């Protein structure tokens, strides 16, 4: 038997936008507690909550000022304990977001560190002298715009930050920092938490010599200006795998606790798989695989990637991600093909991550520049707010999300794209997700079974999931054209599910017709 997380479906809750219980326009823990039945009804295994710890909210919780408490906006520690207990009572695991790369500039550690050059915590952060001309120590740039260095008047040095100036980076060459962060992890795992999603885990170590980053060869207009320089020295420094392995050991003290790591958005299967570590030196359990977000929508490209990636991680570690709170929503990105992408996500081997609203077919919301809240949007125009607009419970005013004024506008299509409208509609996106999840749950072949792709023409990604006592073939038409497929002799059976939910039971043998973007699961 594998670990619980090996083929689990995780549902990412973005708490600010999930359900507001107190009318302040921001989602909260009591809102999540109210809605716990939804997750059982939907059929997911685990919940991942984006940051809920105490924070000035410059980067909406990715700037933590106390790793051991809940921000009052979301509730209290007692609410969290209640949520955890209630979720466990329903058979749901819960993981939280850990942000170890940086703290808020309001965290007591940083307040001490910046108080004087000889403060014992001075070296907990990355402080450097100015160049003789007063300029920044090197050319590193921040993701949210400007230099990765901010001048501190009081102590006459610069401190480093890859994100906002309010997110100073911790210095992991200092063993005290490591020990302190590891204790923050233990605090929650001892409380019964099932694991963490760990923010920007491959960025914790920087070049000890602080060398300049070289120019990038792939940057193009429209990209984040900070990518004009390749991030060779400002992150992923030597020793990062050792540090991650040590952090992973903290999770392993707790047996079943899962570590999910946010690493680079890479399409290189070797890069991703490397963060699982080796048998002798394991690192983290599930290094995020964002390739499905990055790869061009092309059946052969996906096939090649999955063949290689699946083969690299024959045991556990495989996982697939199609969206999160930083990326354009699935239905906006893929257009008509998004149901096919959903079928792909939930029929490949390993764990899968669903971002809230994906299961409704939510698109990016319409957020005007003057409504931007995301610092990356405010500074650079590259706003992540559109994928963070509130969840659609109903078609009513404010989508059943809040009785107050929502912190971000509600997407216009909430009138038709919402839980209430979709839950009993046999052809809705929500029904598709529910049926995919139910099938996956009932048929071990679809979560733990082996994966093998086969030829079905240029535009169709086709594979077999083989379990001990059942097997399925999955055919995904990536193109906008209908396709007539000739099947290998061993592929015959009955359709169990299609992306349009309308061909169940049809028998399939020799030849099958796929409509534009149609995906189907055949029980063999
Ligand atoms: C991660 C988070 C993102 C955040 C950044 C800084 O990429 O997903 O939302 O802004 O880290 O913590
Ligand atoms: Mg609220």
């Amino acid at each position: 038997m594998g670990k619980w997380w090996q083929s689990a479906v995780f549902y990412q809750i973005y708490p600010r936008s999930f359900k507001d219980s107190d009318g302040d326009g921001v989602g909260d823990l009591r809102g999540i507690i109210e809605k716990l039945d939804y997750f059982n009804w939907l059929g997911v295994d685990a919940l991942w909550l984006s940051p809920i710890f105490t924070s000035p909210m410059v980067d909406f919780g990715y700037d933590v000022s106390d790793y051991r408490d809940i921000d009052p906006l979301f509730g209290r520690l007692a609410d969290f304990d209640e949520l955890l207990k209630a979720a466990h009572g329903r058979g749901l695991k819960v993981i939280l977001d850990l942000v170890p790369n940086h703290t808020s500039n309001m965290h007591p550690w940083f307040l001490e560190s910046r108080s004087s050059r000889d403060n014992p915590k001075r070296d907990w952060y990355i402080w450097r002298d100015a160049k003789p001309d007063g300029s920044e120590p090197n050319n590193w740039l921040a993701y949210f715009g400007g230099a990765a260095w901010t001048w501190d008047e009081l102590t006459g040095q610069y401190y480093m930050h890859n994100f906002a100036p309010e997110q100073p980076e911790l210095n992991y060459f200092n063993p005290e920092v490591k020990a302190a962060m590891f204790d923050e992890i233990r605090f929650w795992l001892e409380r019964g938490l099932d694991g963490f999603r760990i923010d920007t885990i491959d960025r914790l170590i920087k070049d000890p010599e602080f060398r300049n980053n070289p120019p990038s060869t792939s940057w193009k207009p429209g990209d984040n200006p900070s990518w004009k320089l390749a991030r060779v020295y400002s992150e992923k420094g030597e020793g990062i795998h050792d540090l991650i392995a040590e952090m992973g050991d903290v999770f392993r003290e707790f047996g079943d606790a899962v570590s999910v790591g946010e690493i680079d958005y890479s399409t290189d299967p070797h890069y991703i798989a490397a963060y699982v570590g080796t048998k002798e030196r394991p690192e983290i359990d599930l290094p995020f695989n964002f390739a499905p977000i990055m790869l061009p929508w092309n059946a052969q490209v996906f096939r090649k990637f999955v063949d290689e990636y699946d083969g690299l991680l024959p045991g556990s570690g495989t996982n697939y991600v199609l969206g999160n709170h930083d990326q354009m929503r699935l239905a906006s990105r893929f257009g008509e093909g998004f149901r096919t992408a959903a079928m792909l996500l939930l029929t490949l081997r390993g764990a899968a991550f669903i971002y809230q609203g994906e299961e409704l077919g939510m698109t990016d919301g319409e957020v005007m520049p003057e409504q931007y809240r995301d610092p990356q949007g405010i500074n650079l125009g590259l706003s992540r707010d559109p994928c963070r607009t509130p969840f659609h419970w109903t078609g009513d005013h404010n989508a059943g999300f809040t009785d107050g004024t929502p912190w971000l506008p509600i997407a216009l299509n909430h009138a038709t794209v919402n839980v209430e409208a979709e839950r009993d509609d046999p052809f809705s996106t929500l029904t598709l997700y529910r049926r995919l999840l139910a099938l996956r749950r009932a048929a071990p072949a679809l979560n733990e079974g082996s994966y093998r792709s086969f030829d079905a023409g240029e535009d169709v990604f086709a594979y077999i999931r083989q379990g001990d006592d059942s097997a399925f073939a999955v055919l995904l038409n990536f193109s906008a054209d209908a396709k007539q497929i000739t099947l290998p002799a061993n592929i015959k059976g009955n359709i169990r599910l299609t992306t349009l939910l309308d061909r169940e039971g049809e028998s399939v043998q020799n030849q099958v017709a796929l409509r534009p973007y149609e995906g189907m699961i055949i029980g063999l």
Side-chain angles (χ1 to χ4, degrees), residues 59 62-63 99 102 144 163 167 197 199-200 203 262 265 324-326 384 388:
D59 191 20
Y62 286 96
D63 48 323
V99 188
H102 42 270
F144 297 163
F163 297 92
Q167 293 166 296
R197 174 267 190 191
D199 195 61
T200 59
R203 319 226 141 134
E262 187 203 23
Y265 280 68
N324 59 35
H325 64 292
D326 294 329
R384 297 171 294 178
R388 298 174 177 176

Side-chain angles (χ1 to χ4, degrees), residues 8 50 81 88 136 145 217 259 295 311 314 316 355 369 446 452 464 498:
S50 275
D81 288 337
H88 284 166
E136 291 84 7
T217 48
S259 53
L295 291 172
S316 61
Y355 174 50
L446 280 179
R452 184 167 48 82
I464 296 177
T498 65

Side-chain angles (χ1 to χ4, degrees), residues 123 170-175 177 205-208 238:
D123 187 46
L170 286 160
N171 172 19
Y172 277 88
F173 288 118
N174 183 327
V177 169
I205 292 189
K206 290 86 192 165
D207 178 36
E238 219 182 297

